[in-house]
Amino acid sequence: MTPSSEELSRELEQALQRAGLDLPPGRLPGLLATYTELRAMLPLLREPRSAAAEPAGVYDLATVTREQTA
């Protein structure tokens, strides 16, 4: 079940309070929008992945050494 915007706002305000953060005026709506999007992505981030899914570990030797072979 997807949390309502009021629940997300309350959750974010509690997290900010626990962290001891005071936002400048007018920043809460933007932070809440970002928090909502990130929270929706959490299930995607917590999926099991193989090493092939890691972009940092995927490269082509021909492109890495192209300056040395030219």
Side-chain angles (χ1 to χ4, degrees), residues 2 5-7 11 13-14 16 18 21-22 24-26 29 33 37 42 47 53-54 60 66 68-69:
T2 306
S5 60
E6 292 85 21
E7 291 171 329
E11 186 178 303
E13 288 177 9
Q14 289 172 353
L16 291 170
R18 282 192 309 269
L21 298 174
D22 292 320
E37 290 177 17
L42 281 177
E47 291 180 351
E54 290 294 328
D60 182 3
R66 106 177 104 207
Q68 296 172 355
T69 59

Side-chain angles (χ1 to χ4, degrees), residues 22-53:
D22 292 320
L23 290 180
R27 293 286 175 103
L28 187 61
L31 184 61
L32 181 58
T34 303
Y35 179 73
T36 302
E37 290 177 17
L38 287 173
R39 196 154 185 291
M41 287 185 223
L42 281 177
L44 299 174
L45 295 173
R46 293 182 175 156
E47 291 180 351
R49 292 179 188 23
S50 69

